[in-house]
Amino acid sequence: MLDTSARLLRLLSLLQTPRAWPGSELAERLGVSGRTIRNDIDRLRELGYPVDATRGATGGYRLGAGAAMPPLLLDDEEAVAVTIALRIAAQGAVPGTAETSVQALAKVEQVLPSRLRRRVRTLQAYTVAVPADRPAPTVSAELLTTLVSACRDRERLRFDYLDHAGRPTRRIVEPYRAVNWGQRWYLVAWDVEREDWRTFRVDRIQPRTPTGPRFAPREPPGGDIAAYVSRRVSGAAWRHHARVTVHAPAAAVVEQINPAVGTVEAIDADTCVLVTGADTVQTLALQLGMLDFDFEVTGPAELVGHLRRLADRYGRATPPIG
């Protein structure tokens, strides 16, 4: 499919030049048979591109009038998905891209067939986005591009960074991936001086140029990079931490919790430890109450006291047995 798409793009590029192309010459240019060229011409016509054909010594294929717009080689669902994504970007998902997203959206909508344009406009008219409770940290497209380019090229990054407490530090890292979670972006990288993997909030990064030397890739932490980020970010933000013994197999507990809630460590076939936390003991107690297994809590004291108060309250809320 990718080879076919690339060939169609190349074919369109040739047909946009102000001349007629004999089928044999197109076949030679693209390294395919004449039959493939005829099939590709039919495909372009199905996609809405007016390809004219003339016979004779000076005949051949050329794009008809009205085909000056760049080619849009997408099926119906892909075209709608691209348009929706541009609409979301135009709402300012990444600061600095709103204006260019609107411009790109206008160009895409211009070349959409009428049946798709109606679907897209219906989605726009009858869907509403709820603003975030808190404003998202500002991350420029230029900064994201710098970080992901360093990831791609495997070049060390030097940057100034504000840590969780707001203290300025200077870091040298080997960047691996930029991860989007909710309204925030994070950079996962190997910290050269600390000799360990670290997660950095992108809005707190101020890159220094130029980038450093190239590095050999390392095995990423934890396998699932998204789960790794959610665990690290959640754990760093918790005010209350707890190690809870759960009387159930580790695999069964893992199925019931989100990676952002905590990690599970097996003890034996029927018991495990849930390492978890939350910003309040009330939230932590709620998370534990949603486990459909027996568990034991020995600390912290604030959590133990809150669970005892909940047990008394629930006891008073239900009629006595018998």
Side-chain angles (χ1 to χ4, degrees):
M1 179 62 72
L2 290 177
D3 290 342
T4 300
S5 297
R7 188 176 67 247
L8 288 175
L9 283 170
R10 176 60 179 155
L11 177 58
L12 273 171
S13 177
L14 293 172
L15 293 176
Q16 284 179 330
T17 57
R19 55 161 291 190
W21 288 87
S24 58
E25 188 173 351
L26 289 174
E28 181 179 355
R29 285 288 192 104
L30 300 178
V32 296
S33 66
R35 180 178 180 181
T36 298
I37 291 295
R38 291 190 294 272
N39 290 337
D40 286 350
I41 294 294
D42 290 340
R43 173 62 174 157
L44 291 178
R45 288 169 173 163
E46 291 173 359
L47 291 170
Y49 293 96
V51 182
D52 297 334
T54 56
R55 297 182 179 276
T58 59
Y61 298 102
R62 71 168 69 209
L63 280 183
M69 288 295 294
L72 184 66
L73 299 181
L74 302 171
D75 63 27
D76 288 6
E77 298 305 318
E78 291 170 339
V80 172
V82 167
T83 307
I84 293 173
L86 284 172
R87 174 64 62 179
I88 294 173
Q91 294 171 354
V94 177
T97 63
E99 182 177 353
T100 52
S101 297
V102 170
Q103 295 171 353
L105 181 62
K107 293 178 180 179
V108 172
E109 289 184 343
Q110 183 177 348
V111 297
L112 285 177
S114 58
R115 67 183 187 282
L116 297 186
R117 193 179 301 117
R118 185 172 185 272
R119 285 178 58 185
V120 169
R121 289 178 178 173
T122 300
L123 283 168
Q124 295 171 2
Y126 292 94
T127 57
V128 178
V130 177
D133 295 335
R134 292 177 294 180
T138 300
V139 175
S140 70
E142 181 181 1
L143 174 56
L144 278 177
T145 301
T146 297
L147 299 182
V148 298
S149 296
C151 293
R152 177 199 62 200
D153 299 334
R154 297 173 182 169
E155 293 179 341
R156 283 188 176 182
L157 276 174
R158 299 180 302 120
F159 55 81
D160 296 321
Y161 186 72
L162 293 177
D163 64 16
H164 188 66
R167 295 183 298 264
T169 61
R170 184 169 297 177
R171 302 297 183 94
I172 301 176
V173 304
E174 297 174 356
Y176 176 69
R177 289 291 187 277
V179 179
N180 176 238
W181 186 14
Q183 293 184 297
R184 291 180 176 174
W185 285 89
Y186 298 90
L187 175 69
V188 178
W190 175 265
D191 192 308
V192 175
E193 296 178 345
R194 292 160 179 79
E195 297 185 342
D196 197 6
W197 290 97
R198 290 290 190 269
T199 301
F200 303 94
R201 276 203 16 199
V202 171
D203 58 293
R204 296 175 178 171
I205 292 176
Q206 183 62 48
R208 288 177 168 268
T209 55
T211 55
R214 294 175 64 88
F215 59 87
R218 299 175 185 271
E219 189 69 22
D224 186 339
I225 201 68
Y228 172 81
V229 170
S230 65
R231 288 194 302 267
R232 292 294 297 267
V233 172
S234 297
W238 291 337
R239 291 181 57 194
H240 301 275
H241 297 75
R243 291 179 60 87
V244 180
T245 302
V246 184
H247 296 284
V253 177
V254 167
E255 290 180 357
Q256 292 198 17
I257 67 167
N258 185 289
V261 171
T263 58
V264 179
E265 304 171 359
I267 296 177
D268 54 39
D270 301 312
T271 314
C272 63
V273 170
L274 171 62
V275 181
T276 185
D279 194 45
T280 66
V281 291
Q282 290 83 359
T283 301
L284 187 47
L286 177 63
Q287 292 170 178
L288 294 176
M290 294 176 67
L291 284 175
D292 193 23
F293 304 111
D294 291 339
F295 57 87
E296 299 174 16
V297 178
T298 58
E302 299 93 335
L303 176 60
V304 173
H306 183 68
L307 289 175
R308 286 172 177 164
R309 289 191 295 273
L310 283 179
D312 292 340
R313 185 177 303 154
Y314 291 156
R316 293 191 300 270
T318 57
I321 299 176

